[in-house]
Amino acid sequence: MSRIVRASRPVSWINTAFPFAAGYLLATGEVDAVLIVGTLFFLVPYNLLMYGVNDVFDYESDLANPRKGGIEGDVIRDREEAARVHRAILWASAVTVVPFTAWLLLQGSLAAGVVLAIVLFAVVAYSAPGLRFKERPFVDSVTSAVHFVGPLVYALVLADVPLAAPGTWQIWAAFLTWGMASHAFGAVQDVTADREGGIASVATVLGARPTVLLALGWYVLATIVLATLPWPGTLAAVLPLPYAVSVARFRRITDDTCEDANRGWRTFLWLNQPVGFLVTMLLIAVWKGWL
């Protein structure tokens, strides 16, 4: 059980549950069964499916990756134990995801069901054999971003909010861009290891420095998109800037020094906490009409 929980990356649970909960609550103004069940689903089962499937099918490459084995991903060195735990992870994913998904599909429109299906497909397709979107350059960054913006988009469609509406499209579009930037930068630290393992990614194709510059550009683009929101949403434009500043430190990185980007990735992990706090405070202020 401990291994299963660790496979779900508890430190990242909030990253998928919060977008769903915030989007649904602000759109409907109601605390109902859909909000509670959906939040619980995107809190634990969704992350177990996403990261658990990744651990199972990335096992061989994770064994050779020196940064795996802690907060950035659990690795079981004993192969016999790993096989047993991996089976348990897949079963636990099915047992927890299927009932939640079935219930949620009954609560919303056909459009909401389609969005949920696409989001879950993206989660599985990222790592599963035969699909392996994580090894398709640029598709890997888009798919990874969908993992996090997907719960928000699903909440909006579930609440019958038009995705193209002014004040709405900027939020999910900027979030998607932020997610693409974060994935691309995260891939930089593994350029050498991925190339040696025959794994393709946006970073192995472009190289370390161009990928850092691409990630930096995407963070800046997210800021520009958020700046077009009506007041007080415009204040959210500052939120991607700390990530841009952090990534800019590595603008002179090379393929040979790509592992230095791990320092920036660890900064990214803790940056999510204060930035998430600021997002929450901004949402509360808007909700209460303080701004």
Side-chain angles (χ1 to χ4, degrees), residues 40-288:
L40 289 175
F41 171 67
F42 285 110
L43 187 70
V44 184
Y46 181 81
N47 281 286
L48 177 58
L49 178 68
M50 177 162 58
Y51 294 115
V53 168
N54 182 261
D55 281 357
V56 170
F57 295 113
D58 278 12
Y59 179 65
E60 294 299 331
S61 60
D62 285 350
L63 277 176
N65 192 327
R67 70 183 181 88
K68 294 293 184 176
I71 193 174
E72 298 180 61
D74 190 28
V75 177
I76 304 171
R77 301 296 172 180
D78 183 274
R79 289 181 178 273
E80 183 176 337
E81 181 187 0
R84 184 171 62 253
V85 172
H86 289 170
R87 286 193 298 271
I89 287 174
L90 293 178
W91 273 108
S93 296
V95 168
T96 57
V97 168
V98 171
F100 276 95
T101 302
W103 189 87
L104 288 170
L105 287 175
L106 295 175
Q107 308 309 309
S109 64
L110 176 60
V114 170
V115 171
L116 181 59
I118 291 173
V119 172
L120 292 178
F121 172 77
V123 166
V124 175
Y126 187 76
S127 304
L131 295 171
R132 299 289 289 177
F133 283 9
K134 68 170 293 176
E135 295 188 40
R136 302 175 187 269
F138 298 101
V139 174
D140 55 351
S141 292
V142 175
T143 306
S144 178
V146 168
H147 294 166
F148 301 97
V149 73
L152 170 62
V153 172
Y154 171 61
L156 295 175
V157 176
L158 195 60
D160 296 322
V161 176
L163 296 180
T168 298
W169 73 264
Q170 292 100 323
I171 295 174
W172 65 258
F175 194 9
L176 182 70
T177 307
W178 174 89
M180 292 166 59
S182 301
H183 174 273
F185 180 70
V188 171
Q189 60 195 320
D190 293 327
V191 166
T192 299
D194 284 349
R195 283 176 177 166
E196 290 177 352
I199 299 174
S201 73
V202 61
T204 62
V205 169
L206 294 180
R209 183 178 298 172
T211 305
V212 167
L213 295 178
L214 176 64
L216 178 59
W218 275 339
Y219 280 132
V220 173
L221 178 59
T223 291
I224 294 172
V225 171
L226 289 172
T228 67
L229 283 168
W231 179 266
T234 311
L235 294 172
V238 303
L239 298 176
L241 293 180
Y243 298 96
V245 171
S246 177
V247 168
R249 296 179 296 159
F250 301 92
R251 62 189 180 279
R252 294 187 177 87
I253 201 169
T254 67
D255 289 1
D256 292 334
T257 62
C258 68
E259 293 181 1
D260 289 347
N262 182 251
R263 293 187 294 111
W265 183 247
R266 289 180 176 273
T267 300
F268 167 83
L269 293 177
W270 72 254
L271 263 179
N272 288 340
Q273 312 309 315
V275 171
F277 168 77
L278 292 175
V279 170
T280 304
M281 293 300 101
L282 180 58
L283 290 176
I284 291 174
V286 172
W287 179 264
K288 293 291 187 179

